[in-house]
Amino acid sequence: SGWKVPYDGPVDQSFAIAPKTAAAAAPAAAQFGVQQQAPQWGAQAQFQQQQQQQLQLQQQQLQQQELQQQQQQALQQQALQQQQALQQQQALQQQQQLQLQQQQMQQIKLKQQMMEAQKKKEAEERQKQIAEINRKRQEEQKKKMEDMKKKQEEQRAVMAIRQKLQKVRTATVATFDKEAKELEEVMKKELPNAGSQTAVIKTEHDKGLETAKTRIEQLKEAEKKAEERKAEAARMMKEREEKASELIKELDEAVEAAEASSKALKETAESLTGDGADKLKPEQVTKIANKIEEATADANEKVKVCNDFMKTHSLALKVGNAELKQSITKLTQRIQACSKEKETTVRSSVITKVKAVKQAEARGKFDKLMALFKKYDTNKDSMLDKKEILNFAKKEYSFIIPEADLDGILKVLVQGGAKGVKSEDFQRVRIQVGIARERAQDKERKQQREKREKEIQELKAAMKGKIEEVDKALDVVDEAVKKVEEASKPLLLQGKDMTASEMTTLAGEIEDQVKAAKEQVDEAKGEVSGLKDGVDPDITNWLRLEMKPVDMKFSRFDPRLSKITGLCTRFRATAKGKDKSELLVIEGKAIAMMKYHKKAKTLTSEDVVSAMCKGDHATKASLVAFFKKCEKEVTKTDDAEKAAEPPSDDDLGRLVNYWDEESEGKVTQEKLLSVVRTIMKVIKDTVMTNGVSIKDSESVRRLDVNETVEVLEEAQKEGDVDVLRVKVKALKDNAEGWVTISGNQGTVFLKPASIVFKVVKETILTPDFDLDAADKEKPKSFVDRKLQVNETVEVRVWMKKEEKTGLVRMKVKALKDGAIGWATTVGNQGTVYLQAK
């Protein structure tokens, strides 16, 4: 691609190469010789030497610069040559590429020519194939057309025969012979053209003609029956028309009767509006009204008869005869008109009756008023004077009219110098007398009201004093409640630092104070109720307002005391929970010491229980004595050894009460055994052996899943196979031996058994293990009942088999109500009644 110039880095400007001339070497030699021969030349010779050196240095620099310029020129020339060579090379490459492109174009053109020739050849071949296909298609199409024409001719002939056959099938009696003759002519003409369908068409012809003949016979029979039905219908229609004519006559008579009844009703009603109606008396109006009601009932009955007749005979009256139809229509219109007229008369008579009654009553009142006027018109001058009016008020109303009121009445009602009040103003006299009487009564009521108001003020003053006394009593109660509230504050603050017994004592003290405060509240309540009892109704509302502050103050006591009571209840519940927690700690500590004593002395559970009991039971004293002398686990520390502290005497007393199931102040051996024993459950089939070593011992028996065993000795590690083994006693049959707790591969065979069981099937609770002992006298504490499904029980004596019945039973305590007894765990048929939780 061209020449390359070696490059070893930038040029050293201080480096220069120049030939050493004789003139330059002579002074140096001379200088050297002079230095050897005549060191005495001194400073002058040294100065000349320095100048010569500087001159030489300058010459060297000039030579070096010239050399650098020459080198740069050589580099530039070399770069130019390289550039020219590169351009030549690029031009050569472009020429080669152009030639290559021309060759490729020629190859493409040649290929195109070959492809066009191939396409032309293929097109010619396709043309030949298409022509051949078209020829074959035309031949096939021609053949198909001929076949189709032949088939069409067959179809035309068949269609012509079938069309004519269809006409024969649907022909009437009148046209059947003609259509049958034409069918035979068509068959002669078209049957030879039927081709492959000749046999089918012939069969259809014979069958269709036979069917048509049968149909024609049926039609003739039907026409005959139709004529008979028509004659029968005409006969029945004639009978219906005759029947309708008779019914129309009956209906016409009923309508005439209804019209007559309606007319009579109208005439009776007109007697309340005709001449002399305004002079009728109330009893006369009532008599006429009764007649109207009777006439109305009769008219309603007659119209109802007509309507019922129309409904009953509606079908019989439906006839086609136009004349009868017109008669029925006219009768219907008459019935409607009669009914409408009757209803109109009834409505108007009701209104007229009310109006007539009112007018008659008004006339009666007026007549009574005039009679009263005439009664007190003693001088018979048709006027009431002052004396007569005074007499009227005194006798009729027991009221003596004041002189001023009487003068006012006369001034208003007597006019034109008349002697008294006329009869037409008598009603006004009555009104004025009533006003005067009401005015006098108002004055009397005012005096009574003022007197009553004075009494009420005295009652209010006395009641206010009582309210103040009650209010003072409530202040005393409030102070008592405040003291209780103050005393209850430790319930919120000190509970955490107190023991359960201290909390129970404090809660009892607060509850006593609450009880005393409630007694004071009840006493105050009695005083408040006493204020409201027997109160005059007129000051009830006033008293309610006055008592509102007292009631408000009183209403706060119950919520405040209830709050403290609730606090005490929660505090007691907390104390109970803490008591349970403390008892569990005490129980755990006691059980741990019992089991340590059992281990240290190598005792059985029964031996430990016997040591704690005095007779058949354990008491507080026997437990205190046992824990004082029992073996105690020693804990080693850095400084000394310390033995475990037994529970205090008080704690043991609490424990006795906790374990006491018969409320007798002592603990049964069964309860003690249930806490001392260690019971385990088999969760995987395993073998019980007679020795701790699996290799050197023999099998006692196989332990089944869910079987329970009692641990007799502490677990030991079997060195040969590295498994944990324990000596146990099977509760089912008392078999003793060694069992593996867990294998060296992690398989667990035994786990601690739960003492809580769940009832999965209802069973009975009995006082004894043996079911045959049911006839014995039951303990007083025994509760005879059933254990319900989902109920939970706690084990007291672990399950064992009753040989007589084959039942597996155990003694339990029901957690629901504390009932203790024996229950069946597994039936003799394998039914499970109790299942460990």
Side-chain angles (χ1 to χ4, degrees):
S1 60
W3 295 93
K4 290 184 179 179
V5 178
Y7 178 68
D8 293 328
V11 178
D12 187 359
Q13 302 292 337
S14 64
F15 178 74
I17 300 174
K20 191 173 183 181
T21 60
Q31 183 181 0
F32 183 76
V34 172
Q35 286 177 351
Q36 289 180 349
Q37 295 174 8
Q40 67 272 10
W41 283 353
Q44 185 175 1
Q46 188 175 2
F47 176 72
Q48 290 177 356
Q49 186 179 359
Q50 289 177 353
Q51 286 183 341
Q52 287 178 359
Q53 290 178 352
Q54 292 177 356
L55 182 61
Q56 289 175 358
L57 181 62
Q58 290 176 356
Q59 289 177 355
Q60 290 176 359
Q61 290 177 349
L62 289 171
Q63 291 175 357
Q64 189 174 4
Q65 290 176 356
E66 290 175 358
L67 180 61
Q68 289 177 354
Q69 290 176 358
Q70 291 174 1
Q71 289 176 349
Q72 288 178 357
Q73 290 175 358
L75 289 171
Q76 290 175 357
Q77 187 174 4
Q78 186 178 2
L80 183 60
Q81 291 174 355
Q82 289 177 353
Q83 186 175 5
Q84 289 174 354
L86 181 62
Q87 290 176 354
Q88 291 174 359
Q89 185 179 5
Q90 289 176 350
L92 180 62
Q93 288 177 351
Q94 290 176 356
Q95 187 176 2
Q96 289 175 351
Q97 288 178 355
L98 183 60
Q99 291 175 356
L100 181 62
Q101 290 176 355
Q102 289 175 354
Q103 290 175 0
Q104 290 176 350
M105 290 296 291
Q106 289 176 357
Q107 290 176 356
I108 292 170
K109 188 174 182 182
L110 182 60
K111 286 182 180 179
Q112 289 177 348
Q113 290 174 356
M114 292 175 67
M115 289 175 66
E116 288 176 358
Q118 181 69 23
K119 287 180 180 179
K120 186 175 181 182
K121 185 177 180 181
E122 290 176 353
E124 290 175 355
E125 290 292 331
R126 280 198 300 274
Q127 289 293 333
K128 289 179 181 180
Q129 291 175 357
I130 291 169
E132 182 66 20
I133 291 169
N134 289 335
R135 185 184 65 78
K136 290 181 178 179
R137 186 181 296 157
Q138 289 174 359
E139 290 177 356
E140 290 176 357
Q141 190 170 3
K142 186 177 179 181
K143 185 177 180 181
K144 284 182 181 179
M145 290 296 292
E146 291 175 353
D147 294 341
M148 187 179 295
K149 189 174 181 181
K150 185 178 179 181
K151 196 169 185 179
Q152 286 177 350
E153 181 64 21
E154 290 179 2
Q155 290 177 350
R156 185 198 63 75
V158 169
M159 185 60 68
I161 294 171
R162 284 176 174 167
Q163 286 177 349
K164 184 54 67 177
L165 183 60
Q166 182 64 25
K167 287 184 178 180
V168 171
R169 287 195 186 107
T170 58
T172 63
V173 176
T175 61
F176 175 75
D177 294 335
K178 180 183 177 183
E179 295 294 342
K181 185 177 180 181
E182 290 178 357
L183 175 61
E184 294 302 323
E185 292 175 355
V186 171
M187 282 290 290
K188 289 180 182 179
K189 181 181 178 182
E190 300 293 348
L191 188 60
N193 299 325
S196 61
Q197 298 190 49
T198 301
V200 175
I201 289 297
K202 194 171 182 181
T203 303
E204 288 182 6
H205 167 268
D206 296 341
K207 189 175 180 180
L209 188 61
E210 184 66 28
T211 303
K213 288 179 179 179
T214 304
R215 178 175 166 275
I216 290 300
E217 292 297 327
Q218 292 175 349
L219 286 174
K220 289 180 179 180
E221 185 67 24
E223 286 180 357
K224 183 179 178 181
K225 289 182 179 180
E227 289 295 331
E228 292 175 354
R229 284 196 300 271
K230 187 175 180 181
E232 181 66 19
R235 185 186 64 78
M236 291 179 67
M237 179 60 71
K238 187 177 180 181
E239 290 180 356
R240 287 186 63 185
E241 287 177 356
E242 292 174 355
K243 177 69 175 176
S245 297
E246 293 176 1
L247 292 173
I248 289 170
K249 289 180 181 179
E250 292 180 17
L251 181 61
D252 184 60
E253 294 175 359
V255 171
E256 288 179 355
E259 288 173 343
S261 180
S262 179
K263 185 177 179 181
L265 171 64
K266 187 175 181 181
E267 291 174 354
T268 306
E270 286 176 351
S271 59
L272 290 175
T273 57
D275 296 338
D278 55 343
K279 297 179 181 179
L280 293 173
K281 295 181 179 180
E283 56 272 14
Q284 293 175 325
V285 173
T286 303
K287 188 175 181 180
I288 295 172
N290 292 335
K291 289 182 179 180
I292 291 173
E293 289 179 358
E294 292 174 359
T296 300
D298 184 62
N300 286 336
E301 182 63 28
K302 297 292 177 59
V303 172
K304 185 175 182 298
V305 168
C306 295
N307 289 327
D308 291 345
F309 187 90
M310 289 292 292
K311 289 179 182 178
T312 304
H313 302 288
S314 59
L315 292 176
L317 292 173
K318 288 182 180 179
V319 293
N321 189 293
E323 186 179 351
L324 294 177
K325 280 185 178 180
Q326 188 175 5
S327 299
I328 293 169
T329 303
K330 287 181 179 179
L331 287 172
T332 304
Q333 290 173 353
R334 285 171 64 189
I335 292 170
Q336 291 175 351
C338 180
S339 178
K340 185 176 180 180
E341 184 180 11
K342 183 256 304 178
E343 293 296 333
T344 303
T345 304
V346 169
R347 283 197 297 270
S348 62
S349 65
V350 170
I351 297 170
T352 305
K353 173 188 171 183
V354 172
K355 187 176 179 182
V357 168
K358 287 183 178 179
Q359 288 177 351
E361 289 176 350
R363 282 193 298 273
K365 289 179 180 179
F366 181 76
D367 291 343
K368 288 181 180 179
L369 186 65
M370 289 300 100
L372 189 64
F373 178 83
K374 289 177 181 180
K375 177 181 177 182
Y376 291 101
D377 182 17
T378 53
N379 55 13
K380 306 301 180 183
D381 58 353
S382 299
M383 289 185 290
L384 294 180
D385 55 20
K386 184 175 182 180
K387 184 179 179 181
E388 290 170 341
I389 293 173
L390 189 65
N391 185 37
F392 163 73
K394 184 177 180 181
K395 290 184 177 179
E396 290 296 325
Y397 300 109
S398 302
F399 173 60
I400 299 174
I401 304 175
E403 189 70 22
D405 291 340
L406 185 57
D407 292 340
I409 292 172
L410 293 172
K411 185 178 180 181
V412 173
L413 299 180
V414 177
Q415 298 177 356
K419 295 181 180 180
V421 180
K422 296 179 180 179
S423 61
E424 55 264 27
D425 292 328
F426 181 60
Q427 179 64 21
R428 295 176 66 190
V429 170
R430 294 179 67 195
I431 294 171
Q432 291 297 326
V433 169
I435 292 171
R437 185 179 63 170
E438 189 65 28
R439 192 181 295 117
Q441 289 176 352
D442 280 346
K443 188 180 291 185
E444 185 178 351
R445 282 195 291 266
K446 183 179 179 181
Q447 293 173 353
Q448 292 176 354
R449 185 175 65 253
E450 290 174 351
K451 181 180 179 183
R452 178 61 180 163
E453 287 175 355
K454 186 176 180 181
E455 292 175 355
I456 289 173
Q457 290 298 327
E458 293 174 354
L459 288 172
K460 286 181 179 180
M463 191 60 69
K464 268 192 174 182
K466 294 180 180 180
I467 292 172
E468 290 174 358
E469 291 177 3
V470 170
D471 191 53
K472 291 178 181 178
L474 290 181
D475 289 338
V476 175
V477 175
D478 186 60
E479 288 297 325
V481 174
K482 284 181 180 178
K483 288 180 181 179
V484 178
E485 288 175 335
E486 190 67 27
S488 66
K489 286 182 179 179
L491 299 179
L492 297 171
L493 304 175
Q494 300 178 5
K496 294 180 180 179
D497 301 328
M498 299 172 69
T499 63
S501 58
E502 292 173 342
M503 293 173 69
T504 304
T505 302
L506 179 58
E509 293 174 355
I510 301 300
E511 286 170 349
D512 290 340
Q513 295 181 32
V514 170
K515 184 178 179 181
K518 281 186 175 181
E519 290 175 355
Q520 291 183 336
V521 171
D522 292 339
E523 187 178 347
K525 188 184 291 186
E527 294 180 7
V528 172
S529 300
L531 288 176
K532 296 178 181 179
D533 292 340
V535 176
D536 193 304
D538 290 336
I539 66 169
T540 301
N541 293 331
W542 171 84
L543 181 62
R544 187 181 300 113
L545 293 175
E546 290 293 321
M547 289 292 291
K548 196 170 183 180
V550 175
D551 291 337
M552 288 291 292
K553 186 182 293 186
F554 185 78
S555 65
R556 297 190 187 101
F557 293 145
D558 284 340
R560 289 163 67 186
L561 292 174
S562 297
K563 182 179 179 181
I564 299 170
T565 303
L567 187 61
C568 287
T569 303
R570 292 193 297 273
F571 193 70
R572 276 191 177 277
T574 304
K576 188 176 181 181
K578 183 176 280 191
D579 182 61
K580 184 66 179 291
S581 300
E582 291 175 358
L583 280 170
L584 290 175
V585 172
I586 297 168
E587 183 183 44
K589 185 177 181 181
I591 292 172
M593 294 189 75
M594 293 176 193
K595 291 187 176 182
Y596 181 79
H597 178 75
K598 174 185 174 183
K599 174 184 174 183
K601 292 290 188 178
T602 319
L603 300 173
T604 64
S605 300
E606 288 77 6
D607 294 336
V608 176
V609 171
S610 297
M612 288 188 288
C613 291
K614 186 177 181 180
D616 295 334
H617 296 80
T619 61
K620 175 182 176 182
S622 66
L623 288 180
V624 170
F626 170 79
F627 282 105
K628 282 183 179 179
K629 63 182 181 180
C630 73
E631 295 293 327
K632 299 173 181 64
E633 187 175 4
V634 177
T635 305
K636 294 183 179 180
T637 60
D638 295 338
D639 298 333
E641 295 181 350
K642 185 178 180 181
E645 288 289 334
S648 66
D649 295 354
D650 292 337
D651 288 344
L652 288 174
R654 292 171 64 189
L655 191 59
V656 167
N657 293 331
Y658 180 57
W659 283 347
D660 181 12
E661 295 173 339
E662 298 178 356
S663 301
E664 295 178 353
K666 49 190 178 180
V667 186
T668 63
Q669 289 189 358
E670 289 177 353
K671 174 62 181 177
L672 292 173
L673 276 172
S674 68
V675 298
V676 172
R677 281 177 162 180
T678 301
I679 306 297
M680 301 192 80
K681 180 181 178 182
V682 180
I683 61 173
K684 186 173 178 59
D685 289 341
T686 186
V687 175
M688 179 191 292
T689 65
N690 58 5
V692 66
S693 173
I694 298 175
K695 184 177 180 181
D696 300 331
S697 58
E698 296 179 358
S699 172
V700 176
R701 73 173 180 86
R702 177 170 289 277
L703 295 178
D704 300 323
V705 174
N706 292 329
E707 191 173 344
T708 51
V709 296
E710 179 187 359
V711 176
L712 300 178
E713 295 183 13
E714 291 295 317
Q716 298 180 22
K717 207 166 189 180
E718 213 278 291
D720 295 342
V721 291
D722 193 22
V723 295
L724 198 62
R725 308 259 296 162
V726 65
K727 188 175 182 181
V728 299
K729 179 173 71 174
L731 296 180
K732 184 165 72 173
D733 56 4
N734 293 327
E736 294 186 8
W738 291 83
V739 181
T740 301
I741 296 177
S742 58
N744 52 12
Q745 299 299 321
T747 304
V748 178
F749 297 94
L750 298 180
K751 75 172 185 179
S754 171
I755 64 169
V756 178
F757 278 67
K758 179 181 177 182
V759 180
V760 295
K761 188 174 179 62
E762 187 181 272
T763 184
I764 59 172
L765 203 63
T766 63
D768 297 294
F769 174 73
D770 295 327
L771 291 176
D772 293 341
D775 297 334
K776 294 181 180 178
E777 186 178 354
K778 298 177 182 178
K780 293 181 180 179
S781 61
F782 175 74
V783 179
D784 190 3
R785 73 177 184 86
K786 290 183 178 180
L787 295 177
Q788 304 297 328
V789 175
N790 293 327
E791 192 173 345
T792 52
V793 297
E794 191 176 86
V795 178
R796 282 295 170 266
V797 178
W798 281 91
M799 60 188 74
K800 53 186 177 179
K801 190 174 183 180
E802 187 185 29
E803 297 301 332
K804 292 180 182 179
T805 59
L807 303 175
V808 178
R809 292 166 58 74
M810 66 180 178
K811 193 171 186 180
V812 297
K813 176 185 178 182
L815 298 181
K816 178 181 178 181
D817 56 1
I820 299 175
W822 288 86
T824 300
T825 307
V826 182
N828 50 18
Q829 299 298 322
T831 305
V832 177
Y833 294 89
L834 303 180
Q835 193 174 69
K837 291 191 73 174

